[in-house]
Amino acid sequence: VQLQASGGGLVQAGGSLRLSCAASGRSFTLLNMGWFRQAPGKEREFVAAITWGGGGSTSNADSVKGRFTISRDNAKNTLYLQMNSLKPEDTAVYYCAARWFSSRSEQYDYWGQGTLVTVSS
C-alpha cells in the first residue's frame, strides 16, 4: 500500500483546507485509515480515523472535534480530511496512515509522506 497526501498550504486563522490521501492498490475498502500530525518540536499525534468498509465509523481527537471531518471515497481510493475553523495551533505536517481491517494491532503499517499545513494568525 502506498499513500500520497496532498492539499496542505498556508491559510489564515478561521479558514479551511481539505487534505487528500490517495492510496494505491485495489483493496482500499479493507483499510482502516487515519490522519496524524506533527508540529515543530512536538511528537506526532492522532487527529482522526475512519474504519474500513462503506459505512466507516469515525473518531476524532478532542482538539479537532467539531472542526475537522474525516471521510473516504472508496471508489476513488481516497481519504479526506476537511479542516474548518483552523487555528495557528493546527500548524503541522499532516500524515495519512493505513492498516488492514484484520490487523490485531492498533499500530498503523503504512504512512504517507506528509503535507504541511500552516495557519497564520
Side-chain angles (χ1 to χ4, degrees):
V1 176
Q2 292 185 326
L3 305 173
Q4 180 76 35
S6 62
L10 175 62
V11 63
Q12 289 188 333
S16 298
L17 279 176
R18 188 177 78 158
L19 304 184
S20 299
C21 175
S24 65
R26 297 181 292 175
S27 302
F28 181 73
T29 303
L30 301 180
L31 292 168
N32 290 310
M33 303 294 297
W35 286 101
F36 293 77
R37 67 186 182 186
Q38 186 167 20
K42 294 187 177 181
E43 293 187 352
R44 187 170 60 194
E45 65 175 1
F46 168 77
V47 174
I50 186 167
T51 58
W52 66 284
S57 62
T58 64
S59 59
N60 295 287
D62 288 343
S63 59
V64 305
K65 281 181 179 177
R67 300 188 300 122
F68 291 9
T69 302
I70 187 172
S71 62
R72 64 191 299 159
D73 185 335
N74 291 333
K76 295 182 178 180
N77 281 13
T78 303
L79 174 74
Y80 301 101
L81 184 68
Q82 178 65 45
M83 305 186 295
N84 299 329
S85 301
L86 283 161
K87 304 175 181 179
E89 52 263 44
D90 294 318
T91 295
V93 177
Y94 284 72
Y95 299 90
C96 56
R99 58 184 174 89
W100 293 110
F101 79 103
S102 55
S103 174
R104 296 182 180 180
S105 170
E106 293 296 314
Q107 299 297 317
Y108 284 81
D109 300 313
Y110 308 98
W111 293 83
Q113 86 289 0
T115 185
L116 177 62
V117 173
T118 303
V119 184
S120 62
S121 57

